[in-house]
Amino acid sequence: MKYIFCLVLTMMLTLTGNGFAATSNDGDVENQTFTIGVLSNKARKHIVFSTPLAKYVSQQLTEYGYTNSRVKVTDSIFELGQWLESGEIDMVSETLFAALRLQEDYKGEIVLRRWKKGQPEYQTVFFARKDSGIRSIDDLEGKILVLEDRSSTSGFYMPVQSLLKHKLEVTPHFSLPKTPTSDKVNIVLASDILRRADEISLSTWVAHSQADVGAFANTNWEDSGDMPPHIKPEMEIIHSTEFIPRSVILLRGDLDTNIRAAIIKILVDANKSEEGKAALYKFQKTTKFDRFTDERLESLVRYNDSRIQIEQLWLN
């Protein structure tokens, strides 16, 4: 069964299975549609964010037969990947490790860095109570580390990668352990326990000594909604990871070479026009897209190796 909601005057929202799609009403439906895919459980919000950019790109691609734009949203990375591989979507903006999975398993291609909310890069910070006696990542053996969920780059992959780089063994738990394993880092995912896990859950658990350490993005540390002012003075950062791209853009791998090049140019040049800047701003206050340096491109191979190692470790 399909449910139709009126989202805005020029947009139609349709629910089919786990995925949502919003299509711009203008243009001939016989012509090609430029489609952005989004991974989120907040469909309507992300459709509002993404529709102006999808429409902007489509309007720049008219010479290639594009006259329509659409946004499809799903909360499943498997479904998003299937859309990417089948050609149902043309572009995805995601955090690094999710993007690496889409590139590896579903023939996507990482092409650009996105300056989401004006930030080209971010890092993960580990935090603990100042009175915990924990001063560095090397003090985490036998401790409980709370992370957000398995899909998070800054709240799962990067912290686990750091632990492995420091030769620390990890063991997953599906609830807060009463007796933590003494020679390993005991990892608990808030999403395994809470119906709706978020960053403030991590801050609260550490503040109340339900967990010894938490880890999330440095942007969360600076956000009073994630690290409340009445809690923050009691906390300290005990370790920070390297910086990685804040968000990246993938295109489906089977795009025509000329169309691929055109989309990249449209995105890179979008901040040079008022119309483009407006579309970027609505796309979660994105300031621009830029190309990767050769050094950063080479690092993606290393990050993908880490991703595979972490997923195999967690599954075992």
Side-chain angles (χ1 to χ4, degrees):
M1 178 179 288
K2 295 184 178 179
Y3 300 85
I4 301 178
F5 301 91
C6 180
L7 186 60
V8 290
L9 290 177
T10 60
M11 201 186 308
M12 181 173 68
L13 174 65
T14 305
L15 168 61
T16 53
N18 290 327
F20 290 76
T23 308
S24 173
N25 285 336
D26 42 287
D28 182 352
V29 295
E30 296 293 323
N31 291 330
Q32 294 197 67
T33 299
F34 179 77
T35 306
I36 294 177
V38 180
L39 180 64
S40 176
N41 59 6
K42 300 174 182 176
R44 280 184 262 187
K45 183 170 78 170
H46 281 276
I47 285 171
V48 172
F49 292 155
S50 304
T51 295
L53 182 63
K55 187 173 181 179
Y56 174 78
V57 174
S58 176
Q59 289 173 339
Q60 312 302 311
L61 290 173
T62 53
E63 67 178 289
Y64 298 101
Y66 287 84
T67 57
N68 298 302
S69 58
R70 180 172 59 167
V71 177
K72 293 188 68 172
V73 183
T74 177
D75 60 4
S76 166
I77 194 169
F78 302 107
E79 185 169 36
L80 186 70
Q82 289 169 351
W83 291 346
L84 192 64
E85 190 169 25
S86 68
E88 291 182 61
I89 59 177
D90 302 297
M91 182 180 113
V92 174
S93 175
E94 256 304 332
T95 54
L96 181 59
F97 280 80
L100 288 168
R101 184 173 186 181
L102 292 170
Q103 179 170 263
E104 177 89 359
D105 296 343
Y106 298 101
K107 301 177 182 178
E109 182 186 6
I110 297 173
V111 295
L112 294 173
R113 179 175 64 169
R114 173 187 171 193
W115 290 50
K116 184 178 178 180
K117 297 181 180 178
Q119 298 164 339
E121 298 188 330
Y122 70 163
Q123 64 182 164
T124 293
V125 296
F126 290 71
F127 60 92
R129 289 180 59 93
K130 290 179 179 177
D131 61 5
S132 68
I134 300 170
R135 297 292 175 258
S136 76
I137 194 171
D138 296 317
D139 296 330
L140 296 189
E141 280 190 351
K143 306 300 184 184
I144 299 173
L145 168 65
V146 60
L147 303 176
E148 188 179 357
D149 66 69
R150 266 194 59 193
S151 66
S152 174
T153 288
S154 61
F156 177 71
Y157 284 100
M158 286 300 289
V160 175
Q161 181 190 54
S162 280
L163 295 171
L164 298 179
K165 283 174 66 176
H166 282 77
K167 310 299 182 185
L168 292 166
E169 291 189 53
V170 303
T171 183
H173 296 270
F174 297 99
S175 62
L176 288 166
K178 294 180 180 179
T179 308
T181 305
S182 61
D183 60 346
K184 296 181 180 180
V185 181
N186 300 266
I187 297 179
V188 177
L189 301 182
S191 60
D192 286 339
I193 300 174
L194 302 176
R195 186 174 182 180
R196 189 183 183 94
D198 53 22
E199 289 81 7
I200 196 170
S201 305
L202 279 59
S203 303
T204 304
W205 284 12
V206 176
H208 294 167
S209 299
Q210 292 173 282
D212 300 298
V213 183
F216 51 33
N218 62 314
T219 52
N220 301 125
W221 175 263
E222 299 298 337
D223 188 331
S224 61
D226 299 328
M227 178 58 76
H230 69 280
I231 290 177
K232 194 171 185 178
E234 303 170 3
M235 304 289 182
E236 64 180 345
I237 293 174
I238 58 117
H239 181 74
S240 301
T241 69
E242 61 195 278
F243 281 90
I244 61 170
R246 175 71 181 84
S247 183
V248 300
I249 295 296
L250 295 99
L251 298 178
R252 60 181 172 92
D254 62 349
L255 273 174
D256 174 85
T257 303
N258 292 329
I259 295 174
R260 174 189 176 279
I263 293 171
I264 291 172
K265 187 176 189 307
I266 290 165
L267 293 174
V268 170
D269 292 345
N271 66 323
K272 299 175 183 177
S273 70
E274 292 306 313
E275 185 183 6
K277 286 179 183 177
L280 292 179
Y281 185 81
K282 291 174 183 177
F283 192 47
Q284 295 177 288
K285 299 181 181 178
T286 299
T287 51
K288 69 176 182 178
F289 301 99
D290 62 8
R291 293 177 171 84
F292 292 105
T293 63
D294 291 340
E295 181 181 5
R296 178 56 81 188
L297 280 173
E298 290 173 5
S299 75
L300 297 186
V301 176
R302 174 168 54 86
Y303 289 127
N304 193 51
D305 290 341
S306 292
R307 177 190 66 83
I308 294 169
Q309 179 189 12
I310 291 166
E311 290 173 0
Q312 289 174 343
L313 175 69
W314 210 256
L315 288 173
N316 292 333

